[in-house]
Amino acid sequence: QTEMLDSIRQAPLIISQLNQISDNEARLACLKALEQVNDSSLVYDIIQMSLHFRPNERRLTEEVIYKMGLRTVPTLLSITRNTAIPDRCRLLAGRILGRLALPQLRANLSDIIRQEIERAYLYFYHYHTIQPLNPELDLSMLQDVLITGYHSVLDFIIQLLGVAGEVEDEELLSRSLRSRNPKVRSQVVETLEKTCEPAIFRLLQPLVDDIPYEEKVRAYVKSGHKPLSLNSLLDKMSESSAQIDQIIAATMKYNLDFPNWRESLRQQMSRQDEIFHHFAYELLES
């Protein structure tokens, strides 16, 4: 019992080491030490840190948390649902949840997919409309990030469907959805229709169907969504869980010399990691 208490006391130190080191062998050693601690209260911190892990480190992270057992399920479900957490971390949590408690994941799948579709439409709509609404500005860099965000959310949805057992060959499906060939894209839609639960497919269909983008844009507004101004869109992207969104929001505010961009950037820095800090200091000192 004394040894177990000592291990639990050491856990914060191991977590802090894991956060600071990048050496592969040292990280793996820290993860194995956390496996010995076997403290399910650490799950949130471990998964948050996995964002910049290498593939073998993420695989070990999955095994370490999986071995902690069913007591991790509430935390894993909370992470999987939380759009404020980076998608890579959410997907790792979803993968472990699928192994430990597949019925729990499937019971929450519709709600998760619904909120992801909202995110995808936000990117898609503003990709098509933000430049025409601001013709005097060059927003091509912002548009690139918006369409990347749209495809990233679609990838997340397909990967999560794979984890939940709704689809197979999710990597192939994700790539095929980006194809320029309409036949390839329609085959993906057929596959989703055949393999997904009808309720799930009904949610996905308007997003993945090969209909003119103008119809999807109109549907977004008709469903009660309010188009964002450029300023509001950049504010929303600065709060995104995707670091590329945060960086483009700060860059655009700087390039367009928005009022209070420095203050806005400093507020962002309080919520972000060291990588973002390096980028932010360069902007502030320029």
Side-chain angles (χ1 to χ4, degrees):
Q1 192 174 7
T2 306
E3 281 182 22
M4 190 174 76
L5 284 171
D6 284 343
S7 295
I8 291 170
R9 287 193 198 102
Q10 291 297 317
L13 179 61
I14 300 169
I15 289 280
S16 124
Q17 285 295 308
L18 195 56
N19 199 26
Q20 291 168 21
I21 56 179
S22 59
D23 178 76
N24 184 237
E25 286 186 20
R27 269 189 188 162
L28 294 174
C30 283
L31 287 166
K32 284 171 185 167
L34 289 171
E35 183 176 359
Q36 297 304 311
V37 173
N38 195 25
D39 181 357
S40 61
S41 70
L42 303 173
V43 167
Y44 184 88
D45 288 336
I46 297 170
I47 287 184
Q48 282 275 63
M49 282 174 201
S50 73
L51 179 61
H52 302 300
F53 280 7
R54 300 172 182 87
N56 65 336
E57 294 160 0
R58 277 200 299 279
R59 284 194 295 273
L60 182 56
T61 301
E62 183 175 333
E63 290 308 314
V64 167
I65 295 172
Y66 174 72
K67 286 176 183 172
M68 291 181 186
L70 291 173
R71 59 206 162 128
T72 64
V73 166
T75 304
L76 292 170
L77 182 56
S78 171
I79 293 171
T80 308
R81 294 179 64 112
N82 190 348
T83 56
I85 294 172
D87 289 354
R88 180 180 285 185
C89 300
R90 294 172 64 205
L91 198 56
L92 177 60
R95 190 174 290 117
I96 306 165
L97 181 62
R99 290 176 64 188
L100 280 172
L102 185 58
Q104 279 280 84
L105 176 59
R106 291 181 67 86
N108 286 273
L109 194 59
S110 288
D111 287 344
I112 297 170
I113 297 299
R114 192 176 283 108
Q115 71 179 10
E116 294 311 307
I117 287 170
E118 288 282 306
R119 287 174 65 211
Y121 269 123
L122 180 80
Y123 285 120
F124 183 86
Y125 177 85
H126 290 95
Y127 166 73
H128 285 289
T129 60
I130 199 69
Q131 182 66 77
L133 289 172
N134 298 273
E136 74 285 3
L137 303 173
D138 178 6
L139 301 178
S140 53
M141 186 165 55
L142 175 59
Q143 284 181 296
D144 287 346
V145 172
L146 288 169
I147 199 64
T148 299
Y150 166 72
H151 285 299
S152 294
V153 177
L154 278 185
D155 285 346
F156 177 82
I157 291 172
I158 299 293
Q159 296 284 341
L160 195 63
L161 289 173
V163 168
E166 292 282 322
V167 298
E168 294 179 354
D169 298 323
E170 53 266 32
E171 296 290 343
L172 177 61
L173 287 177
S174 284
R175 283 199 304 274
S176 300
L177 264 181
R178 296 179 186 229
S179 172
R180 294 179 182 277
N181 187 329
K183 281 188 180 176
V184 172
R185 293 197 303 272
S186 69
Q187 284 168 357
V188 176
V189 176
E190 282 177 31
T191 301
L192 292 171
E193 186 172 15
K194 285 175 187 170
T195 62
C196 290
E197 293 287 329
I200 297 282
F201 181 69
R202 278 196 299 274
L203 289 173
L204 277 174
Q205 189 175 9
L207 190 63
V208 296
D209 252 354
D210 216 4
I211 58 175
Y213 79 85
E214 293 91 348
E215 287 186 34
K216 295 184 182 183
V217 165
R218 279 195 293 273
Y220 180 82
V221 178
K222 279 178 79 174
S223 61
H225 295 93
K226 290 187 178 175
L228 299 176
S229 67
L230 177 58
N231 204 354
S232 298
L233 178 61
L234 294 178
D235 282 345
K236 189 161 188 73
M237 291 176 75
S238 72
E239 295 168 3
S240 167
S241 63
Q243 197 162 67
I244 185 64
D245 286 4
Q246 300 156 15
I247 287 172
I248 197 68
T251 303
M252 295 300 296
K253 287 181 179 183
Y254 164 76
N255 286 341
L256 300 171
D257 198 20
F258 273 31
N260 302 323
W261 71 265
R262 290 175 185 275
E263 184 185 329
S264 172
L265 184 55
R266 288 192 183 98
Q267 285 176 358
Q268 263 186 277
M269 288 171 71
S270 67
R271 305 188 296 269
Q272 305 307 334
D273 63 15
E274 192 178 343
I275 294 172
F276 186 87
H277 286 186
H278 286 305
F279 156 78
Y281 284 129
E282 283 190 21
L283 280 189
L284 289 168
E285 289 170 7
S286 61

